[in-house]
Amino acid sequence: MTAAVAGCSGSPGSGDVTLRLVAADYGDSSADSSKKYWDALVRDFRAEHSGIKVEVSVYSWNDVDRKVKEMVAAGHAPDMAQIGAYADHAAAGRLYQADEVLSIPVQADFASELSNAGKVNRTQYGMPFAASTRLLFYNKTLFSQAGIQPPTTWNDLAADAQALKVKGVKFPFALPLGPEEAQAETMQWLLSGGDGYLDGFGSYDLDSAQNVGTFTWLKDELVGKGLTGPVAPGRLNRADAFAAFTRGEVGMLNGHPSLMKAARAKGVNFGMVPMPGVGGRAKSTMGVADWMMAFKQNGHKDQIREFLDYVYDEKNVLDFSRRYDLLPVTNSAQETMAASPRDAALEPFLEQLPSSELYPVGKTSWAGVSADIKKQIGKAVGPGGNPEAILGRLQRAAVTADSATG
């Protein structure tokens, strides 16, 4: 899917150039594809900036990172890419620094926790584009029918799932560990178990005792007791889990803000609570940021700056965030959203963002480690699965990849 806007006569400092942007699709159908957002944005950009042509190619999240990697490998890097990871491209020297392609006010407006996550060796290359946090969604109707309350501990969660199963709920707890976004579900559970992907020194620690304990609990107490639905977690993708929730087939699952809109549209009566931990509310939740980056290959630094300053204008950041129920990445847009009654439903997610933990995207090895997790982690909770062995295998591969990339 491609959107294009042609420039008119050149203006000083701009030149007649074509910028190419590859972007991810945040919609779940052609009706709300991100293509529509970019169509409108580049059309408005044209009205204010002559001499620059912008072509935007939109791909699904299943394809977009691979597409960019293929373009780079073929020697045809886009001018900009809005994808899931940036550090491998930064480490290879392919990217402009953020301060080279953003004006000072625009760069300073990023939320600090997101700016910091965009740095490699203390230099920012990744520009946050969209953010979200996670809450535990539950179907109020199904909970009422089962006579249960939303969980605050893992034991509560398992007991609630058992009660839902007795009532014939198809997915008492939806556990999407399929290849679409298994790294997210995994991280959410690792955090709720008191650990995460890294140790206190910034090194991978996937097979820590706490992490092994977390996946052993999932295998024994949820998956092994038939509480995660008719689809094996390793074959369940996030989009399918969300769709099942909107059909009223799921009792509980971890979800991000966009699930609210989809569930409301289908008339699902749902609630949201913080992710339970072992003995109470989890100490931290997962935050996710998607990234914009600018490639140096085509040398269009000044034109990229004009376009990105427009992309990150408050009205455009708010438009995108509201369109897809995501969290704005700039302080100005966050403040506007926090004060606006129309955005009240996002407040619980917005409140968690400053203290949330993001993927280790500053590691140049993360893209490969994340891909490995997507392929392997579902096996840890499957029939005959061994969480310690799977996490150990992932840890060894992560350490090797980290050493290779420096």
Side-chain angles (χ1 to χ4, degrees):
M1 293 177 286
T2 303
V5 52
C8 303
S9 60
S11 59
S14 294
D16 295 307
V17 301
T18 297
L19 298 178
R20 292 180 300 155
L21 166 64
V22 175
D25 194 352
Y26 289 79
D28 54 18
S29 69
S30 59
D32 67 346
S33 169
S34 296
K35 178 182 182 299
K36 292 191 173 183
Y37 171 79
W38 290 111
D39 277 344
L41 185 140
V42 295
R43 184 173 59 247
D44 293 344
F45 177 77
R46 174 186 180 178
E48 299 180 24
H49 301 79
S50 62
I52 303 175
K53 180 180 180 181
V54 182
E55 296 179 349
V56 186
S57 299
V58 179
Y59 297 99
S60 77
W61 274 109
N62 292 330
D63 299 324
V64 67
D65 290 80
R66 175 177 54 81
K67 287 285 187 182
V68 172
K69 190 170 293 187
E70 290 172 353
M71 292 172 72
V72 169
H76 301 294
D79 294 282
M80 296 161 285
Q82 184 270 298
I83 53 178
Y86 65 86
D88 50 342
H89 296 298
R94 302 180 187 120
L95 303 182
Y96 285 115
Q97 297 177 188
D99 59 7
E100 295 179 289
V101 289
L102 294 173
S103 65
I104 292 174
V106 170
Q107 187 178 9
D109 196 26
F110 288 133
S112 60
E113 65 274 11
L114 300 178
S115 283
N116 290 334
K119 294 178 180 178
V120 173
N121 296 327
R122 296 181 294 280
T123 299
Q124 186 179 358
Y125 295 92
M127 295 163 276
F129 182 75
S132 68
T133 54
R134 298 291 195 269
L135 290 171
L136 182 73
F137 283 67
Y138 66 99
N139 184 311
K140 287 185 174 182
T141 302
L142 297 179
F143 266 59
S144 177
Q145 292 170 354
I148 55 178
Q149 298 297 317
T152 57
T153 68
W154 282 6
N155 285 341
D156 292 343
L157 190 150
D160 285 351
Q162 185 63 51
L164 291 164
K165 181 181 179 181
V166 169
K167 288 292 185 179
V169 175
K170 191 172 184 180
F171 292 90
F173 188 93
L175 185 66
L177 294 177
E180 181 189 0
E181 206 188 31
Q183 83 286 1
E185 187 72 16
T186 297
M187 183 171 174
Q188 184 66 63
W189 277 99
L190 297 185
L191 290 172
S192 73
D195 208 344
Y197 283 136
L198 306 180
D199 62 19
F201 302 98
S203 298
Y204 286 113
D205 197 24
L206 278 73
D207 62 346
S208 70
Q210 283 175 292
N211 290 344
V212 170
T214 293
F215 265 79
T216 299
W217 186 88
L218 283 172
K219 182 179 187 303
D220 293 346
E221 302 300 323
L222 289 187
V223 182
K225 293 184 177 179
L227 303 178
T228 54
V231 179
R235 294 191 289 108
L236 181 64
N237 281 325
R238 179 199 62 180
D240 296 326
F242 280 15
F245 187 80
T246 67
R247 294 193 299 267
E249 298 172 354
V250 174
M252 297 173 279
L253 82 170
N254 292 315
H256 53 61
S258 65
L259 181 57
M260 295 188 301
K261 182 178 181 180
R264 282 196 296 262
K266 294 295 182 69
V268 176
N269 183 18
F270 66 92
M272 302 178 299
V273 294
M275 178 66 179
V278 178
R281 178 175 175 174
K283 293 181 179 178
S284 60
T285 189
M286 185 184 69
V288 175
D290 301 325
W291 302 95
M292 180 74 76
M293 62 210 69
F295 287 86
K296 295 190 292 187
Q297 179 177 326
N298 302 315
H300 295 147
K301 180 173 62 176
D302 293 339
Q303 293 82 10
I304 292 171
R305 184 189 298 115
E306 282 196 56
F307 182 65
L308 289 182
D309 275 3
Y310 188 81
V311 168
Y312 285 107
D313 184 85
E314 182 182 335
K315 66 179 176 63
N316 292 325
V317 173
L318 280 171
D319 179 20
F320 184 85
S321 300
R322 286 167 169 163
R323 187 178 298 228
Y324 296 106
D325 284 323
L326 291 166
L327 305 181
V329 297
T330 62
N331 292 311
S332 58
Q334 286 183 11
E335 290 167 4
T336 298
M337 183 173 279
S340 173
R342 68 179 287 190
D343 300 309
L346 285 170
E347 186 63 24
F349 296 94
L350 199 57
E351 287 175 353
Q352 293 193 101
L353 187 59
S355 59
S356 63
E357 186 169 326
L358 278 70
Y359 297 134
V361 289
K363 282 184 167 291
T364 55
S365 58
W366 171 243
V369 172
S370 174
D372 204 16
I373 292 169
K374 291 179 182 181
K375 293 177 185 176
Q376 301 292 333
I377 197 64
K379 300 174 185 176
V381 297
N386 184 327
E388 185 173 11
I390 295 295
L391 288 169
R393 189 182 308 156
L394 288 168
Q395 170 67 10
R396 290 189 293 275
V399 170
T400 299
D402 209 32
S403 299
T405 58

